[in-house]
Amino acid sequence: MKLSALLAALLLLAFAGCGGDDDEDGDTGGDEAAIVVESPEPGASVSSPVTISGTASVFEGTVQLRILDADGEEIASAFTTASAGAPERGEFSEEVEFTVDEAQDGVVEVFEQNVASPEESPERELFTVEVPVQLEP
């Protein structure tokens, strides 16, 4: 019984570590990534509301969306549900409203929220995809 619990814990840790990279170069995920962001594209100028869309293979299809300003502060957040949950791949699309006073660099983040992790845990966000954008008022 203890061996099976240990194996289950190791498997959970292995999956929690998959895709946890925070892409610094605007990589929107690949064909095999848990989350692939198709819109907006890296470097795009976006105004409110911005449509965030792509595909995902995540638990119950639930995808978290967040927009960060030039200071890295969250200025908008939302969630949506893909057309299918893991292990299938589903499509998602959601309009997210935000407000900025002036044009600035920003980031659109899309991730799966691990509800089994404590609120402040770094493992709370899985498969994070960061898309650098230009936020327009």
Coordinates of all heavy atoms in Angstrom, one line a residue, residues 29-135:
G29 N 3.4 28.2 -27.1 CA 3.1 26.7 -27.0 C 3.3 26.1 -28.3 O 3.2 26.7 -29.4
G30 N 3.5 24.8 -28.3 CA 3.6 24.0 -29.5 C 2.5 23.1 -29.7 O 1.5 23.1 -28.9
D31 N 2.5 22.3 -30.8 CA 1.4 21.4 -31.1 C 1.1 20.4 -29.9 O 0.0 20.0 -29.7 CB 1.6 20.7 -32.4 CG 1.6 21.6 -33.6 OD1 0.9 22.7 -33.5 OD2 2.2 21.3 -34.6
E32 N 2.2 20.0 -29.2 CA 2.0 19.0 -28.1 C 1.9 19.7 -26.8 O 1.7 19.0 -25.8 CB 3.3 18.1 -28.1 CG 3.4 17.3 -29.4 CD 2.2 16.4 -29.7 OE1 1.8 15.8 -28.8 OE2 1.8 16.5 -30.9
A33 N 1.9 21.0 -26.7 CA 1.8 21.7 -25.4 C 0.4 21.5 -24.9 O -0.6 21.4 -25.6 CB 2.2 23.2 -25.5
A34 N 0.2 21.6 -23.5 CA -1.1 21.5 -22.9 C -1.9 22.7 -23.3 O -3.2 22.5 -23.5 CB -0.9 21.4 -21.4
I35 N -1.3 23.8 -23.5 CA -2.1 25.0 -23.9 C -1.3 25.7 -25.1 O -0.1 25.9 -25.0 CB -2.2 26.0 -22.8 CG1 -2.9 25.4 -21.6 CG2 -2.8 27.4 -23.2 CD1 -3.0 26.3 -20.3
V36 N -2.1 26.0 -26.1 CA -1.5 26.7 -27.3 C -2.4 27.9 -27.5 O -3.6 27.8 -27.7 CB -1.5 25.8 -28.6 CG1 -1.1 26.6 -29.8 CG2 -0.7 24.5 -28.4
V37 N -1.7 29.1 -27.5 CA -2.4 30.4 -27.7 C -2.2 30.7 -29.2 O -1.1 30.9 -29.7 CB -1.9 31.5 -26.8 CG1 -2.6 32.8 -27.1 CG2 -2.0 31.1 -25.3
E38 N -3.4 30.9 -29.9 CA -3.4 31.2 -31.3 C -3.6 32.7 -31.5 O -3.1 33.3 -32.5 CB -4.4 30.4 -32.0 CG -4.1 28.9 -32.0 CD -5.3 28.1 -32.4 OE1 -6.4 28.6 -32.7 OE2 -5.1 26.9 -32.6
S39 N -4.3 33.4 -30.5 CA -4.5 34.8 -30.6 C -4.6 35.4 -29.2 O -5.3 34.8 -28.4 CB -5.8 35.1 -31.4 OG -6.1 36.4 -31.5
P40 N -4.0 36.5 -29.0 CA -3.2 37.3 -29.9 C -1.8 36.7 -30.2 O -1.3 35.9 -29.4 CB -3.1 38.7 -29.2 CG -3.1 38.3 -27.7 CD -4.0 37.1 -27.6
E41 N -1.2 37.1 -31.3 CA 0.1 36.7 -31.7 C 1.1 37.5 -30.9 O 0.9 38.7 -30.5 CB 0.3 36.8 -33.2 CG -0.5 35.9 -34.0 CD -0.3 36.0 -35.5 OE1 0.6 36.8 -35.9 OE2 -0.9 35.2 -36.2
P42 N 2.3 37.0 -30.7 CA 3.4 37.8 -30.0 C 3.7 39.1 -30.7 O 3.8 39.1 -31.9 CB 4.6 36.8 -30.0 CG 4.0 35.5 -30.1 CD 2.8 35.6 -31.0
G43 N 3.7 40.2 -29.9 CA 4.0 41.5 -30.5 C 2.8 42.2 -31.0 O 3.0 43.4 -31.5
A44 N 1.6 41.6 -31.0 CA 0.4 42.3 -31.5 C 0.1 43.5 -30.7 O 0.3 43.5 -29.5 CB -0.7 41.3 -31.6
S45 N -0.5 44.5 -31.3 CA -1.1 45.6 -30.6 C -2.6 45.2 -30.3 O -3.3 44.8 -31.2 CB -1.1 46.9 -31.4 OG 0.2 47.3 -31.6
V46 N -3.0 45.3 -29.0 CA -4.3 44.9 -28.7 C -5.0 46.0 -27.9 O -4.4 46.7 -27.1 CB -4.3 43.6 -27.8 CG1 -3.7 42.4 -28.6 CG2 -3.5 43.8 -26.5
S47 N -6.3 46.1 -28.1 CA -7.1 47.1 -27.3 C -8.3 46.3 -26.7 O -8.5 45.1 -27.1 CB -7.6 48.2 -28.2 OG -8.3 47.7 -29.3
S48 N -8.9 46.9 -25.8 CA -10.0 46.2 -25.0 C -11.3 46.3 -25.8 O -11.7 47.3 -26.4 CB -10.2 46.9 -23.7 OG -11.1 46.3 -22.9
P49 N -12.0 45.2 -25.8 CA -11.7 43.9 -25.3 C -10.8 43.1 -26.3 O -10.9 43.2 -27.5 CB -13.0 43.2 -25.2 CG -13.9 43.7 -26.3 CD -13.4 45.2 -26.4
V50 N -9.8 42.3 -25.7 CA -9.0 41.5 -26.6 C -9.5 40.1 -26.6 O -10.0 39.6 -25.5 CB -7.5 41.5 -26.1 CG1 -7.4 41.0 -24.6 CG2 -6.6 40.7 -27.0
T51 N -9.5 39.4 -27.7 CA -10.0 38.1 -27.8 C -8.7 37.2 -27.6 O -7.8 37.3 -28.4 CB -10.6 37.7 -29.2 OG1 -11.8 38.6 -29.3 CG2 -11.1 36.3 -29.3
I52 N -8.8 36.3 -26.6 CA -7.7 35.3 -26.4 C -8.3 34.0 -26.8 O -9.3 33.5 -26.2 CB -7.3 35.4 -24.9 CG1 -6.9 36.8 -24.5 CG2 -6.2 34.4 -24.6 CD1 -6.6 37.0 -23.0
S53 N -7.6 33.3 -27.7 CA -8.1 32.0 -28.2 C -7.0 31.1 -28.4 O -5.8 31.5 -28.6 CB -8.9 32.2 -29.4 OG -8.1 32.7 -30.5
G54 N -7.3 29.8 -28.5 CA -6.4 28.7 -28.8 C -7.0 27.4 -28.5 O -8.2 27.2 -28.6
T55 N -6.1 26.4 -28.2 CA -6.5 25.1 -27.9 C -5.9 24.7 -26.6 O -4.8 25.2 -26.2 CB -6.2 24.1 -29.0 OG1 -4.8 24.0 -29.1 CG2 -6.8 24.5 -30.3
A56 N -6.5 23.7 -25.9 CA -6.0 23.3 -24.6 C -6.4 21.8 -24.3 O -7.4 21.4 -24.8 CB -6.5 24.1 -23.5
S57 N -5.5 21.1 -23.6 CA -5.8 19.8 -23.1 C -5.5 19.9 -21.6 O -4.4 19.5 -21.2 CB -4.9 18.7 -23.8 OG -5.2 17.5 -23.3
V58 N -6.5 20.3 -20.9 CA -6.3 20.6 -19.4 C -7.5 20.0 -18.7 O -8.6 19.8 -19.3 CB -6.1 22.1 -19.1 CG1 -4.8 22.6 -19.7 CG2 -7.3 22.9 -19.6
F59 N -7.4 19.8 -17.4 CA -8.4 19.2 -16.5 C -9.7 20.0 -16.7 O -9.8 21.2 -16.5 CB -8.0 19.3 -15.1 CG -8.9 18.7 -14.1 CD1 -9.2 17.3 -14.1 CD2 -9.6 19.4 -13.2 CE1 -10.1 16.7 -13.3 CE2 -10.6 18.9 -12.3 CZ -10.8 17.5 -12.4
E60 N -10.8 19.3 -17.0 CA -12.1 19.8 -17.2 C -12.2 20.9 -18.2 O -13.2 21.7 -18.3 CB -12.8 20.2 -15.9 CG -13.0 19.0 -15.0 CD -13.7 19.4 -13.7 OE1 -13.8 20.5 -13.4 OE2 -14.1 18.4 -13.0
G61 N -11.1 21.1 -19.0 CA -11.1 22.2 -20.1 C -11.0 23.6 -19.5 O -11.2 24.5 -20.3
T62 N -10.8 23.8 -18.2 CA -10.8 25.1 -17.6 C -9.5 25.8 -17.8 O -8.4 25.3 -17.4 CB -11.1 25.0 -16.1 OG1 -12.3 24.3 -16.0 CG2 -11.2 26.4 -15.5
V63 N -9.5 27.0 -18.5 CA -8.4 27.8 -18.8 C -8.5 29.1 -18.2 O -9.5 29.8 -18.2 CB -8.3 27.9 -20.4 CG1 -7.1 28.7 -20.8 CG2 -8.3 26.6 -21.1
Q64 N -7.4 29.5 -17.5 CA -7.3 30.8 -16.8 C -6.6 31.8 -17.7 O -5.7 31.5 -18.4 CB -6.5 30.7 -15.5 CG -7.0 29.7 -14.5 CD -8.4 30.0 -14.0 OE1 -8.7 31.2 -13.7 NE2 -9.2 29.0 -13.8
L65 N -7.1 33.0 -17.7 CA -6.6 34.1 -18.6 C -6.2 35.3 -17.7 O -7.0 35.6 -16.8 CB -7.7 34.5 -19.6 CG -8.4 33.4 -20.4 CD1 -9.6 33.9 -21.1 CD2 -7.4 32.7 -21.3
R66 N -5.1 35.9 -18.1 CA -4.7 37.1 -17.3 C -3.9 38.1 -18.2 O -3.2 37.6 -19.1 CB -3.8 36.6 -16.1 CG -3.3 37.7 -15.2 CD -2.6 37.2 -14.0 NE -1.7 36.1 -14.2 CZ -1.5 35.1 -13.3 NH1 -2.1 35.1 -12.2 NH2 -0.6 34.2 -13.6
I67 N -4.1 39.4 -17.9 CA -3.4 40.4 -18.7 C -2.5 41.2 -17.7 O -3.1 41.6 -16.6 CB -4.3 41.3 -19.5 CG1 -5.1 40.5 -20.5 CG2 -3.5 42.4 -20.2 CD1 -6.2 41.3 -21.2
L68 N -1.3 41.3 -17.9 CA -0.3 42.1 -17.1 C 0.1 43.3 -17.8 O 0.4 43.3 -19.0 CB 0.9 41.2 -16.7 CG 0.6 39.8 -16.1 CD1 1.9 39.1 -15.9 CD2 -0.2 39.9 -14.9
D69 N 0.3 44.4 -17.1 CA 0.7 45.7 -17.7 C 2.3 45.7 -17.7 O 2.9 44.7 -17.4 CB 0.2 46.9 -16.9 CG 0.7 47.0 -15.5 OD1 1.6 46.3 -15.1 OD2 0.1 47.9 -14.8
A70 N 2.8 46.8 -18.1 CA 4.3 47.0 -18.2 C 5.0 46.7 -16.9 O 6.2 46.3 -16.9 CB 4.6 48.3 -18.8
D71 N 4.4 47.0 -15.8 CA 5.0 46.8 -14.5 C 4.8 45.3 -14.0 O 5.2 45.0 -12.8 CB 4.4 47.7 -13.5 CG 4.7 49.2 -13.8 OD1 5.8 49.4 -14.3 OD2 3.9 50.1 -13.6
G72 N 4.1 44.5 -14.8 CA 3.8 43.1 -14.3 C 2.6 43.0 -13.4 O 2.4 41.9 -12.8
E73 N 1.9 44.1 -13.3 CA 0.7 44.1 -12.4 C -0.5 43.5 -13.2 O -0.7 43.9 -14.4 CB 0.4 45.5 -11.9 CG 1.4 46.1 -11.1 CD 1.6 45.3 -9.7 OE1 0.6 44.9 -9.1 OE2 2.7 45.1 -9.3
E74 N -1.3 42.7 -12.6 CA -2.5 42.2 -13.2 C -3.5 43.3 -13.4 O -3.9 44.0 -12.5 CB -3.1 41.1 -12.3 CG -4.3 40.4 -12.9 CD -4.9 39.3 -12.0 OE1 -4.2 38.4 -11.8 OE2 -6.1 39.5 -11.6
I75 N -4.0 43.5 -14.6 CA -5.0 44.5 -14.9 C -6.3 43.9 -15.4 O -7.3 44.6 -15.5 CB -4.5 45.5 -16.0 CG1 -4.1 44.9 -17.3 CG2 -3.3 46.3 -15.4 CD1 -3.8 45.8 -18.4
A76 N -6.3 42.6 -15.6 CA -7.5 41.9 -16.0 C -7.3 40.4 -15.8 O -6.2 39.9 -16.0 CB -7.9 42.2 -17.4
S77 N -8.4 39.7 -15.5 CA -8.4 38.2 -15.4 C -9.7 37.7 -15.7 O -10.8 38.3 -15.6 CB -7.9 37.8 -14.0 OG -8.8 38.1 -13.1
A78 N -9.7 36.5 -16.2 CA -11.0 35.8 -16.6 C -10.7 34.3 -16.7 O -9.5 33.9 -16.5 CB -11.5 36.3 -17.9
F79 N -11.7 33.5 -16.9 CA -11.5 32.1 -17.2 C -12.5 31.7 -18.3 O -13.5 32.4 -18.5 CB -11.6 31.2 -16.0 CG -13.0 31.0 -15.5 CD1 -13.7 29.9 -15.9 CD2 -13.6 31.9 -14.6 CE1 -15.0 29.7 -15.5 CE2 -14.8 31.7 -14.2 CZ -15.6 30.6 -14.6
T80 N -12.2 30.6 -18.9 CA -13.1 30.1 -19.9 C -13.0 28.6 -19.9 O -12.1 28.0 -19.3 CB -12.8 30.7 -21.3 OG1 -13.9 30.3 -22.2 CG2 -11.5 30.2 -21.9
T81 N -13.9 27.9 -20.6 CA -13.8 26.5 -20.7 C -13.6 26.1 -22.2 O -14.4 26.5 -23.0 CB -15.1 25.9 -20.2 OG1 -15.3 26.3 -18.8 CG2 -15.1 24.3 -20.1
A82 N -12.6 25.2 -22.4 CA -12.4 24.7 -23.7 C -13.5 23.7 -24.1 O -14.2 23.2 -23.2 CB -11.0 24.0 -23.8
S83 N -13.7 23.5 -25.4 CA -14.7 22.6 -25.9 C -14.5 21.1 -25.4 O -15.5 20.3 -25.6 CB -14.8 22.7 -27.4 OG -13.6 22.3 -28.0
A84 N -13.4 20.8 -24.9 CA -13.1 19.4 -24.4 C -12.1 19.5 -23.3 O -11.2 20.4 -23.3 CB -12.6 18.5 -25.5
G85 N -12.1 18.6 -22.4 CA -11.1 18.5 -21.3 C -10.2 17.4 -21.6 O -10.4 16.6 -22.5
A86 N -9.0 17.4 -20.8 CA -8.0 16.4 -21.0 C -8.6 15.0 -20.8 O -9.6 14.9 -20.0 CB -6.9 16.6 -20.0
P87 N -8.2 14.0 -21.5 CA -7.1 14.0 -22.4 C -7.3 14.5 -23.8 O -6.4 14.5 -24.6 CB -6.7 12.5 -22.4 CG -8.1 11.8 -22.3 CD -8.9 12.7 -21.4
E88 N -8.6 14.9 -24.1 CA -8.9 15.5 -25.4 C -8.3 16.9 -25.5 O -8.0 17.5 -24.5 CB -10.4 15.5 -25.7 CG -11.1 14.1 -25.5 CD -10.5 13.1 -26.5 OE1 -10.3 13.5 -27.7 OE2 -10.3 11.9 -26.1
R89 N -8.3 17.4 -26.7 CA -7.9 18.8 -26.9 C -9.1 19.6 -27.4 O -9.8 19.2 -28.3 CB -6.8 18.9 -28.0 CG -6.3 20.3 -28.3 CD -5.1 20.4 -29.1 NE -3.9 20.0 -28.3 CZ -3.3 20.8 -27.4 NH1 -3.7 22.1 -27.2 NH2 -2.3 20.4 -26.7
G90 N -9.4 20.7 -26.7 CA -10.5 21.5 -27.1 C -10.1 22.9 -27.4 O -9.0 23.4 -27.1
E91 N -11.0 23.6 -28.1 CA -10.8 25.0 -28.5 C -11.4 25.9 -27.4 O -12.4 25.6 -26.8 CB -11.5 25.3 -29.8 CG -10.9 24.5 -30.9 CD -11.6 24.8 -32.3 OE1 -12.6 25.5 -32.3 OE2 -11.1 24.3 -33.3
F92 N -10.7 27.1 -27.2 CA -11.2 28.1 -26.3 C -11.1 29.5 -26.9 O -10.3 29.7 -27.8 CB -10.5 28.1 -24.9 CG -9.1 28.5 -25.0 CD1 -8.7 29.8 -24.9 CD2 -8.1 27.6 -25.1 CE1 -7.4 30.2 -24.9 CE2 -6.7 27.9 -25.2 CZ -6.4 29.3 -25.1
S93 N -12.0 30.4 -26.5 CA -12.0 31.8 -27.0 C -12.8 32.6 -26.0 O -13.9 32.2 -25.6 CB -12.6 31.9 -28.4 OG -12.5 33.2 -28.8
E94 N -12.2 33.7 -25.6 CA -12.8 34.6 -24.6 C -12.4 36.0 -24.8 O -11.2 36.3 -25.1 CB -12.5 34.1 -23.2 CG -13.2 34.9 -22.1 CD -14.6 34.5 -21.9 OE1 -15.1 33.5 -22.4 OE2 -15.4 35.3 -21.3
E95 N -13.3 37.0 -24.8 CA -13.0 38.4 -24.8 C -12.7 38.8 -23.4 O -13.5 38.6 -22.5 CB -14.2 39.2 -25.4 CG -14.3 39.0 -26.9 CD -15.3 40.0 -27.5 OE1 -16.0 40.7 -26.8 OE2 -15.3 40.1 -28.7
V96 N -11.6 39.5 -23.2 CA -11.2 40.0 -21.9 C -11.1 41.5 -22.0 O -10.3 42.0 -22.8 CB -9.9 39.4 -21.4 CG1 -9.5 39.9 -20.0 CG2 -10.0 37.8 -21.4
E97 N -11.8 42.3 -21.1 CA -11.7 43.7 -21.1 C -10.6 44.1 -20.1 O -10.3 43.5 -19.1 CB -13.0 44.3 -20.6 CG -14.1 44.1 -21.6 CD -15.4 44.8 -21.3 OE1 -15.4 45.7 -20.4 OE2 -16.4 44.4 -21.9
F98 N -9.9 45.2 -20.5 CA -8.8 45.8 -19.7 C -8.8 47.3 -19.9 O -9.4 47.8 -20.9 CB -7.5 45.2 -20.0 CG -6.9 45.5 -21.4 CD1 -6.1 46.6 -21.6 CD2 -7.3 44.7 -22.4 CE1 -5.6 46.9 -22.9 CE2 -6.8 44.9 -23.7 CZ -6.0 46.0 -23.9
T99 N -8.1 48.0 -19.0 CA -8.0 49.5 -19.2 C -6.5 49.9 -18.9 O -5.9 49.4 -17.9 CB -8.9 50.2 -18.1 OG1 -10.2 49.8 -18.3 CG2 -8.8 51.7 -18.3
V100 N -6.0 50.6 -19.8 CA -4.7 51.3 -19.7 C -4.8 52.7 -20.1 O -5.6 53.1 -21.0 CB -3.5 50.6 -20.5 CG1 -3.2 49.2 -19.9 CG2 -3.8 50.5 -21.9
D101 N -4.0 53.6 -19.4 CA -4.1 55.0 -19.7 C -3.2 55.4 -20.9 O -3.5 56.4 -21.6 CB -3.6 55.9 -18.5 CG -4.6 55.7 -17.4 OD1 -5.8 55.5 -17.6 OD2 -4.1 55.9 -16.2
E102 N -2.2 54.6 -21.2 CA -1.3 54.9 -22.3 C -0.8 53.6 -22.9 O -0.9 52.6 -22.3 CB -0.1 55.7 -21.9 CG 0.7 55.1 -20.8 CD 1.8 56.0 -20.2 OE1 1.6 57.2 -20.2 OE2 2.8 55.5 -19.7
A103 N -0.4 53.6 -24.2 CA 0.2 52.5 -24.8 C 1.4 52.0 -24.0 O 2.2 52.8 -23.5 CB 0.6 52.8 -26.3
Q104 N 1.5 50.7 -23.9 CA 2.6 50.1 -23.1 C 2.8 48.6 -23.4 O 1.9 48.0 -24.0 CB 2.4 50.3 -21.6 CG 1.1 49.6 -21.1 CD 0.9 49.9 -19.7 OE1 1.5 49.3 -18.8 NE2 0.0 50.9 -19.4
D105 N 4.0 48.1 -23.1 CA 4.2 46.6 -23.3 C 3.3 45.9 -22.2 O 3.0 46.5 -21.2 CB 5.6 46.3 -23.0 CG 6.6 46.8 -24.1 OD1 6.1 47.0 -25.2 OD2 7.8 47.0 -23.8
G106 N 2.9 44.7 -22.6 CA 2.1 43.9 -21.6 C 2.3 42.5 -22.0 O 3.0 42.1 -22.9
V107 N 1.6 41.6 -21.2 CA 1.7 40.2 -21.4 C 0.3 39.6 -21.2 O -0.4 39.9 -20.2 CB 2.7 39.5 -20.4 CG1 2.7 38.0 -20.5 CG2 4.1 40.1 -20.6
V108 N -0.1 38.7 -22.1 CA -1.3 37.9 -22.0 C -0.8 36.6 -21.5 O 0.1 35.9 -22.1 CB -2.0 37.7 -23.3 CG1 -3.1 36.7 -23.2 CG2 -2.6 39.1 -23.8
E109 N -1.3 36.1 -20.3 CA -0.9 34.8 -19.8 C -2.2 33.9 -19.8 O -3.3 34.3 -19.5 CB -0.5 34.9 -18.3 CG 0.8 35.6 -18.1 CD 1.3 35.6 -16.7 OE1 0.4 35.4 -15.7 OE2 2.5 35.7 -16.4
V110 N -1.9 32.7 -20.2 CA -2.9 31.6 -20.2 C -2.4 30.4 -19.5 O -1.2 30.0 -19.8 CB -3.3 31.2 -21.7 CG1 -4.4 30.2 -21.7 CG2 -3.7 32.5 -22.5
F111 N -3.1 29.9 -18.6 CA -2.6 28.8 -17.8 C -3.8 27.9 -17.2 O -4.9 28.3 -17.2 CB -1.7 29.3 -16.6 CG -2.4 30.2 -15.7 CD1 -3.0 29.8 -14.5 CD2 -2.5 31.6 -15.9 CE1 -3.6 30.6 -13.6 CE2 -3.1 32.5 -15.1 CZ -3.7 32.0 -13.9
E112 N -3.4 26.8 -16.7 CA -4.3 25.9 -16.0 C -4.1 26.1 -14.5 O -3.0 26.2 -14.0 CB -4.1 24.4 -16.3 CG -5.0 23.5 -15.5 CD -4.8 22.0 -15.7 OE1 -3.8 21.7 -16.3 OE2 -5.6 21.2 -15.2
Q113 N -5.2 26.3 -13.7 CA -5.0 26.5 -12.3 C -5.1 25.1 -11.6 O -6.1 24.4 -11.8 CB -6.2 27.4 -11.8 CG -6.0 27.7 -10.3 CD -7.0 28.8 -9.9 OE1 -7.1 29.8 -10.5 NE2 -7.7 28.5 -8.8
N114 N -4.1 24.8 -10.8 CA -4.1 23.5 -10.0 C -4.8 23.8 -8.7 O -4.2 24.3 -7.8 CB -2.6 23.1 -9.9 CG -2.5 21.8 -9.1 OD1 -3.5 21.2 -8.7 ND2 -1.3 21.4 -8.9
V115 N -6.0 23.4 -8.6 CA -6.8 23.7 -7.4 C -6.4 22.8 -6.2 O -6.7 23.1 -5.1 CB -8.3 23.5 -7.7 CG1 -8.8 24.6 -8.7 CG2 -8.7 22.1 -8.1
A116 N -5.6 21.8 -6.5 CA -5.1 20.9 -5.4 C -3.9 21.6 -4.7 O -3.6 21.1 -3.6 CB -4.6 19.6 -6.0
S117 N -3.3 22.6 -5.2 CA -2.2 23.3 -4.6 C -2.7 24.5 -3.7 O -3.7 25.1 -4.1 CB -1.2 23.9 -5.6 OG -0.6 22.8 -6.3
P118 N -1.9 24.7 -2.6 CA -2.3 25.9 -1.8 C -2.3 27.2 -2.6 O -1.6 27.3 -3.6 CB -1.2 25.9 -0.7 CG -0.7 24.5 -0.7 CD -0.8 24.0 -2.1
E119 N -3.1 28.1 -2.2 CA -3.3 29.4 -2.9 C -2.0 30.1 -3.3 O -1.9 30.6 -4.4 CB -4.1 30.4 -2.0 CG -4.6 31.6 -2.7 CD -5.8 31.4 -3.6 OE1 -6.6 30.4 -3.3 OE2 -6.0 32.1 -4.6
E120 N -1.0 30.2 -2.5 CA 0.2 30.9 -2.7 C 1.3 30.0 -3.3 O 2.5 30.5 -3.5 CB 0.7 31.6 -1.5 CG -0.3 32.6 -0.9 CD -0.6 33.7 -1.9 OE1 0.3 34.2 -2.6 OE2 -1.8 34.0 -2.0
S121 N 1.1 28.8 -3.6 CA 2.1 27.8 -4.0 C 2.5 28.1 -5.5 O 1.6 28.4 -6.3 CB 1.5 26.4 -3.9 OG 2.4 25.5 -4.6
P122 N 3.8 28.0 -5.8 CA 4.2 28.2 -7.2 C 3.6 27.1 -8.1 O 3.6 27.3 -9.3 CB 5.7 28.0 -7.1 CG 6.1 27.8 -5.7 CD 4.9 27.7 -4.9
E123 N 3.2 26.0 -7.6 CA 2.6 24.9 -8.4 C 1.1 25.2 -8.6 O 0.4 24.4 -9.2 CB 2.8 23.6 -7.7 CG 4.2 23.0 -7.7 CD 5.0 23.6 -6.6 OE1 4.5 24.0 -5.5 OE2 6.2 23.7 -6.8
R124 N 0.6 26.3 -8.2 CA -0.8 26.7 -8.4 C -1.1 26.9 -9.9 O -2.2 26.6 -10.3 CB -1.1 27.9 -7.6 CG -2.5 28.4 -7.6 CD -3.4 27.6 -6.7 NE -4.7 28.2 -6.6 CZ -5.7 27.6 -6.0 NH1 -5.6 26.5 -5.4 NH2 -6.9 28.2 -6.0
E125 N -0.2 27.4 -10.6 CA -0.4 27.6 -12.1 C 0.4 26.6 -12.9 O 1.6 26.5 -12.7 CB 0.1 29.1 -12.4 CG -0.8 30.1 -11.7 CD -0.3 31.5 -11.9 OE1 0.6 31.7 -12.7 OE2 -0.8 32.4 -11.1
L126 N -0.3 25.9 -13.8 CA 0.4 24.9 -14.6 C 0.3 25.3 -16.1 O -0.6 26.0 -16.5 CB -0.4 23.6 -14.4 CG -0.4 23.0 -13.0 CD1 -1.3 21.7 -13.0 CD2 0.9 22.7 -12.5
F127 N 1.3 24.9 -16.8 CA 1.4 25.0 -18.3 C 1.2 26.5 -18.7 O 0.6 26.8 -19.7 CB 0.3 24.2 -18.9 CG 0.2 22.8 -18.4 CD1 -1.0 22.3 -17.8 CD2 1.3 21.9 -18.6 CE1 -1.0 21.0 -17.3 CE2 1.2 20.6 -18.1 CZ 0.1 20.2 -17.5
T128 N 1.8 27.4 -18.0 CA 1.7 28.9 -18.3 C 2.3 29.2 -19.6 O 3.4 28.9 -19.9 CB 2.3 29.7 -17.2 OG1 1.7 29.4 -15.9 CG2 2.2 31.2 -17.5
V129 N 1.5 29.9 -20.5 CA 2.0 30.4 -21.7 C 1.9 31.9 -21.6 O 0.9 32.5 -21.3 CB 1.1 29.9 -22.9 CG1 1.6 30.5 -24.2 CG2 1.2 28.4 -23.0
E130 N 3.0 32.6 -21.9 CA 3.1 34.1 -21.9 C 3.2 34.6 -23.3 O 4.1 34.2 -24.1 CB 4.3 34.5 -21.1 CG 4.2 34.1 -19.6 CD 5.3 34.6 -18.8 OE1 6.4 35.0 -19.4 OE2 5.2 34.6 -17.6
V131 N 2.4 35.6 -23.7 CA 2.4 36.2 -25.0 C 2.6 37.7 -24.8 O 1.8 38.4 -24.3 CB 1.1 35.9 -25.8 CG1 1.2 36.6 -27.2 CG2 0.7 34.5 -25.8
P132 N 3.8 38.2 -25.2 CA 4.1 39.6 -25.1 C 3.3 40.4 -26.1 O 3.2 40.0 -27.3 CB 5.6 39.7 -25.4 CG 5.9 38.5 -26.2 CD 5.0 37.4 -25.8
V133 N 2.6 41.4 -25.7 CA 1.8 42.3 -26.6 C 2.0 43.7 -26.3 O 2.7 44.1 -25.3 CB 0.3 41.9 -26.4 CG1 0.0 40.5 -26.8 CG2 -0.2 42.2 -25.0
Q134 N 1.5 44.6 -27.2 CA 1.5 46.0 -26.9 C 0.0 46.4 -26.6 O -0.9 46.2 -27.4 CB 1.9 46.8 -28.2 CG 1.9 48.3 -28.1 CD 3.0 48.8 -27.2 OE1 4.0 48.2 -27.0 NE2 2.8 50.0 -26.7
L135 N -0.2 46.9 -25.3 CA -1.5 47.2 -24.9 C -1.8 48.7 -25.3 O -1.0 49.6 -25.1 CB -1.5 47.1 -23.3 CG -1.2 45.8 -22.7 CD1 -1.1 45.9 -21.2 CD2 -2.2 44.8 -23.1

